[in-house]
Amino acid sequence: MTRRDDTRKDHPNINKIDILKGLSEEMASNLRAEGQGNNVELRTGRSYLQILQQNLFTFINTVFFAITLMMILLGRSGDAFLVVVVIFGSVVISIFQEIWAKKKLDEIALLKRPQVTVLRDGQEKVIDQSAVVLGDLLIIRPGDQLVVDGTVVGTGRIEMDESLLTGESDLIPKVAGDEVFSGSFCVTGTAKYKAEKVGTETTAYQVMASAKAFRQNYTPLQQEINTIIRVFLLIACFLLILLLISMFSRSISFTDVILIAAVILGLVPVGLYISITLAYGTGAVRMAGQNVLIQQVNAVESLSNVDVLCMDKTGTLTTNQISLQSIEPLGLTTTEVEEYLGDYAANTQAGNKTSEAIAQACPGEIRPVSAEVPFSSARKWSAIAFAGAGTYVLGAPEVLGSVLNITPEQQEYIQAQAEEGLRVVLFAHTSHEIAPPTPQQPPSLPEGLGAIAILSFSDELRPLARETLESFARAGIKLKIISGDNPRTVAALAKQAGLDAGTMVISGTQLAQMDEAQFTNAAVNNTIFGRITPEQKAQLVKKIRQQGYYVAMTGDGVNDVLSLKQANLGIAMESGSQATRGVADIILLNDSFGALPKAFLEGQKIRNALQDALKLFIVRGAVFTLLIFCSGMVTQSFPLNNKHSSLLALLGVGIPTMIIPLWAKPERVNRGSVVRSQLHFVLSATLTLTLVSLLVYFMYIVKAVLDLPPDGDLVQLNLATPRSALVTILFLCQMLLICFLKPPVRSFTGGEPYSGDWRYTIMALGLVSIYIVVLAVPELRDFFELVLLTKFDYLFLFFVALEWGFTLRWFWRTRTFDRFLGVNLS
């Protein structure tokens, strides 16, 4: 990051700040009154105006709006009303859903606003980020994300990750005089920094606002749905061009052109957008009750696509409640080792769970510290030097073992402890004092180190960890545990959690020696990865994704941020660091790891609901398109008018696809192409329904022609009866399709497997009742421009629809079109 000049750091009130005491509350209050506070609101999503613009002013809506105006000017207010109800009604619902989602995101942002630690009147104080003022001294510790820009002061040393700002994952060391930027986060070390840019001048406001805003990351299902909508839009545009040509070549009236254009545009399945909105909205509400916080609107459905779940061990698989289990002295008494350990833990300025466990078991005294190297997941060791007493180092055996000359007996002891699931750490000492690290000189182990103890720490599995992993294994999801701990320790804990004892294990050291092809092969084939650096963890996730897998990553620590960003879906624990929660798509409240299977099932519900809705929309759109082409070729007439199309859209797909997301059930999903998996259902239904509806339409046209007087003119042929018959047969067949989506009895199976769910069938019967009311009430019948057919006609059309259902079931069960095309369409 480059330094930016800012005259605000020269404010006269902040140049005389005591770095031991910070601002006084009085000074902070005065600065806030002068407008020098950080009380700027970062947007968590689109504004209300943007939501309105992006829902209302789409290409398709603009065309419909123009057609509506034309209808009103031509005196066709009834047609205009239907366009408003069917098209703009769904837009209104979508707008309300997105406004609701925005309010929820704003509430989440308010609940998850970073709390910062400042030094005021010589006391540490935890405050909301908006209460920070220019000149405040802030204390930063590992996992903290900076909320304002400033300069490091004092003797502390930290290593910052600025990847959210720059895209570079290298850790940047910072000491007194170095600038730090909001949006970056601390990985190791502790330091103070003075706030020099607040509010709208911070990097967070100018750069990170876009990262916090609404993100449009599409799942595979969303991508395919968008493709389908675009295909139908292209077809509609093609038909509109033909319609314009026909207006001049066949002298079609301008009124008819407008009405036909409305029908053609109705081919575009814009209702799919509201189905997606409703499905995601209901899913988010249901998961909120399961302690799962959805930060990306499509995150739950995205979870249903996951076929590889990567997880960190500490804090994810385990509770991260570490306790010192045993101390094995090497050349010293246990009492002496406990004394040194206690002093080490009592004086470190960059504490972590390991040092906290030591401090709890071994009380120590405050001593003068000459230098300290905080723990880093990349280095896997930390050190502290006491004035005149040398340096003490705490680190992983794999790293320190090469310089400590560990004996075979000690190595066997370390392996035995690791195989019991314990975390093993070496404690070493040298009389040499470690050199204080500088930005130019990274930390290095001091000379003359000698091991003085082997420490063993225990951690416990999270509740329901075994059941959670078993549920994912049953769902066919590959599990990969990636940890910075000893591979044997990780394997032992994984075995306790129910993973197969024969799973393949590999270490970060082995991975470091591999070329790219070998690394990729190891990433895919191994299950347990130990002694992994944060960079290796991110690389593992990236390589697995590149092999075509849909990867979810769970983590809680600052060392998991890079890998969460590489995954298709990032899942963080609520107790995790600010930075981890900030990049995650899903947050498990109360660290409820056991809620993940429920979220996975919810994702299956959403996916299955959208697939069912998609089938209805595709069949309707494809049948209407073929009807328009075929009737135009044979009779040179248009089969449906705008009101007919609107009625069929409302009853056939509109109402059903609004209810289906509420009734969806979790089922095993096909991980291949969604469209391909639906062709078995859609292709047979489309071709047979088109043929049946065309035959009915042509038969009634022939009947109408025969009923003409001998001197009658075909131009004066009344199409009201053929169109009413066509609407009826299309409606009845659409109702049968709804029943076929979830067969209530085994005799309905063929397109879909038996479900035993009667709700879809009951809904279809309810819609039939509505259609009967439309036909029975003269005002409604006239409004929709339908004519009342004879009882014989309705009975005939009912049996035609029933016979179509039997024929369609036969095509499904015999896989006629599958065999004709030579492929398996399901």
Side-chain angles (χ1 to χ4, degrees), residues 160-418:
M160 301 298 296
D161 186 323
E162 297 179 349
S163 59
L164 297 179
L165 304 176
T166 65
E168 300 294 332
S169 60
D170 295 334
L171 298 184
I172 312 298
K174 303 284 186 177
V175 294
D178 290 335
E179 279 191 313
V180 288
F181 302 93
S182 53
S184 61
F185 57 89
C186 177
V187 178
T188 65
T190 301
K192 301 173 189 173
Y193 75 100
K194 183 169 69 173
E196 295 176 342
K197 292 181 182 178
V198 295
T200 58
E201 295 190 6
T202 62
T203 305
Y205 186 85
Q206 298 182 4
V207 179
M208 293 298 292
S210 60
K212 293 285 185 184
F214 176 81
R215 292 178 290 170
Q216 197 79 18
N217 297 323
Y218 292 121
T219 67
L221 178 58
Q222 283 179 293
Q223 292 172 1
E224 295 202 50
I225 287 176
N226 285 337
T227 300
I228 291 168
I229 292 174
R230 290 189 182 102
V231 168
F232 277 109
L233 182 59
L234 286 174
I235 293 173
C237 291
F238 176 73
L239 289 173
L240 287 173
I241 293 173
L242 293 181
L243 178 62
L244 290 175
I245 295 173
S246 299
M247 183 173 67
F248 297 103
S249 64
R250 293 166 51 189
S251 301
I252 300 177
S253 68
F254 183 70
T255 301
D256 288 341
V257 168
I258 294 299
L259 296 176
I260 293 172
V263 177
I264 291 174
L265 285 172
L267 296 176
V268 183
V270 290
L272 271 174
Y273 287 125
I274 190 171
S275 296
I276 293 173
T277 303
L278 288 171
Y280 288 161
T282 54
V285 169
R286 284 194 288 250
M287 290 319 301
Q290 300 290 340
N291 283 329
V292 177
L293 184 64
I294 308 301
Q295 297 207 125
Q296 282 287 353
V297 68
N298 60 0
V300 178
E301 188 261 311
S302 181
L303 190 58
S304 69
N305 295 288
V306 172
D307 43 26
V308 174
L309 175 62
C310 301
M311 65 181 72
D312 181 44
K313 176 187 73 67
T314 305
T316 302
L317 188 61
T318 64
T319 61
N320 204 17
Q321 300 299 317
I322 299 172
S323 60
L324 181 58
Q325 191 76 11
S326 66
I327 299 174
E328 181 70 17
L330 302 177
L332 298 175
T333 66
T334 301
T335 302
E336 290 175 320
V337 173
E338 290 177 347
E339 180 183 342
Y340 297 145
L341 282 170
D343 290 348
Y344 183 99
N347 289 276
T348 181
Q349 296 297 310
N352 53 30
K353 292 292 183 180
T354 302
S355 62
E356 290 174 8
I358 294 173
Q360 186 174 5
C362 306
E365 297 179 356
I366 300 298
R367 299 171 57 183
V369 175
S370 59
E372 181 179 4
V373 176
F375 177 80
S376 163
S377 297
R379 287 190 297 269
K380 301 197 180 303
W381 60 268
S382 60
I384 189 168
F386 296 110
T391 301
Y392 292 89
V393 178
L394 201 65
E398 291 81 359
V399 177
L400 299 185
S402 59
V403 298
L404 294 179
N405 298 320
I406 299 297
T407 66
E409 293 78 12
Q410 293 167 350
Q411 187 63 44
E412 288 180 8
Y413 175 81
I414 291 172
Q415 292 181 5
Q417 294 291 91

Side-chain angles (χ1 to χ4, degrees), residues 25-40:
E25 286 293 345
E26 182 182 357
M27 291 177 65
S29 179
N30 292 335
L31 285 164
R32 192 177 300 110
E34 294 175 15
Q36 306 295 336
N38 194 49
N39 54 343
V40 63

Side-chain angles (χ1 to χ4, degrees), residues 142-158:
D144 290 345
Q145 190 166 24
L146 275 64
V147 298
V148 295
D149 296 2
T151 302
V152 177
V153 296
T155 58
R157 182 186 188 275
I158 51 178

Side-chain angles (χ1 to χ4, degrees), residues 564-601:
L564 286 173
K565 290 167 62 181
Q566 287 291 340
N568 296 96
L569 184 70
I571 305 170
M573 299 292 174
E574 183 184 17
S575 65
S577 67
Q578 295 173 6
T580 307
R581 294 196 306 266
V583 300
D585 302 296
I586 293 175
I587 296 177
L588 302 180
L589 301 179
N590 300 325
D591 295 351
S592 52
F593 185 60
L596 267 182
K598 298 175 184 177
F600 177 75
L601 294 178

Side-chain angles (χ1 to χ4, degrees), residues 680-681 684-685 737 740 750-751 808-815:
H680 172 68
F681 183 96
S684 298
L737 272 183
F740 284 137
L808 177 60
R809 190 188 66 172
W810 180 84
F811 273 103
W812 278 334
R813 291 184 174 183
T814 59
R815 295 186 173 274

Side-chain angles (χ1 to χ4, degrees), residues 46 48 51 55 89-105 273-285 297 658 661-662:
R46 294 179 292 176
Y48 293 113
I51 290 175
N55 278 280
S90 64
V91 172
V92 169
I93 295 174
S94 181
I95 289 172
F96 274 109
Q97 279 284 339
E98 293 206 29
I99 289 176
W100 173 85
K102 172 180 170 53
K103 289 181 178 178
K104 286 295 180 183
L105 283 174
Y273 287 125
I274 190 171
S275 296
I276 293 173
T277 303
L278 288 171
Y280 288 161
T282 54
V285 169
V297 68
M658 290 177 65
L662 304 177

Side-chain angles (χ1 to χ4, degrees), residues 521-548:
N521 186 63
V524 172
N525 294 324
N526 287 275
T527 302
I528 294 173
F529 303 81
R531 292 299 180 215
I532 301 297
T533 65
E535 290 75 16
Q536 286 178 322
K537 187 181 294 187
Q539 189 72 359
L540 285 169
V541 173
K542 181 179 179 181
K543 291 299 182 184
I544 295 171
R545 277 192 66 180
Q546 288 177 347
Q547 298 310 301

